[in-house]
């Protein structure tokens, strides 16, 4: 069982089971930690913005095209930690992944 360590918008840490091969957004939306994902994962709204622990960023593919364009427009954008959870698949390499849900924009 692969797990994620999710800090919600209230600063509460949750350890949850990740769904291998599924976008992080799906799990986060299911648990209602503040990820609304209004566009349903089409990379067009940025309501699934998260912060990934910098030590883990090398385990993820780099953000591409639309994701990069959306991220830089966000008020809470962090060039080191920001990602859209709809663009990141949960893989075995991410077991134990620490992330935080970004503030609402």
């Amino acid at each position: 069982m692969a797990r994620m360590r999710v800090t919600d918008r209230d600063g509460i840490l949750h350890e949850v089971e990740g769904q291998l091969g599924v976008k992080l957004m799906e799990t986060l939306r299911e648990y209602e930690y503040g990820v609304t994902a209004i566009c349903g994962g089409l990379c067009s709204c940025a309501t699934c913005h998260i912060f990934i622990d910098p030590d883990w960023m090398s385990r993820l593919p780099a953000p591409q095209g639309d994701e990069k364009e959306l991220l830089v427009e966000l008020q809470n954008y962090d060039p080191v930690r920001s990602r859209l959870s709809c663009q990141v698949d949960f893989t075995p390499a991410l077991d134990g992944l620490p992330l935080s849900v970004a503030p609402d924009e």
Side-chain angles (χ1 to χ4, degrees):
M1 163 176 18
R3 315 257 324 146
M4 289 187 282
R5 299 185 58 191
V6 179
T7 302
D8 66 23
R9 287 194 176 133
D10 295 323
I12 299 168
L13 179 63
H14 308 269
E15 190 164 316
V16 299
E17 185 174 344
Q19 301 172 42
L20 293 175
V22 174
K23 302 291 185 193
L24 296 178
M25 175 204 73
E26 296 294 335
T27 300
L28 296 172
R29 184 170 58 177
E30 194 174 292
Y31 284 104
E32 300 180 8
Y33 293 143
V35 169
T36 55
I38 293 170
C39 73
L42 298 175
C43 196
S44 64
C45 72
T47 59
C48 66
H49 182 207
I50 59 173
F51 298 123
I52 302 284
D53 183 296
D55 293 337
W56 287 71
M57 288 299 270
S58 64
R59 300 181 193 200
L60 291 100
Q64 302 295 313
D66 291 344
E67 181 182 9
K68 287 199 287 191
E69 290 176 24
L70 283 170
L71 286 171
V72 298
E73 297 297 321
L74 297 173
Q75 179 180 5
N76 294 297
Y77 171 63
D78 180 322
V80 176
R81 303 180 310 137
S82 286
R83 290 301 304 264
L84 297 181
S85 61
C86 70
Q87 299 301 298
V88 180
D89 289 317
F90 190 66
T91 65
L94 298 181
D95 184 21
L97 176 70
L99 64 90
S100 299
V101 178
D104 196 17
E105 296 274 337

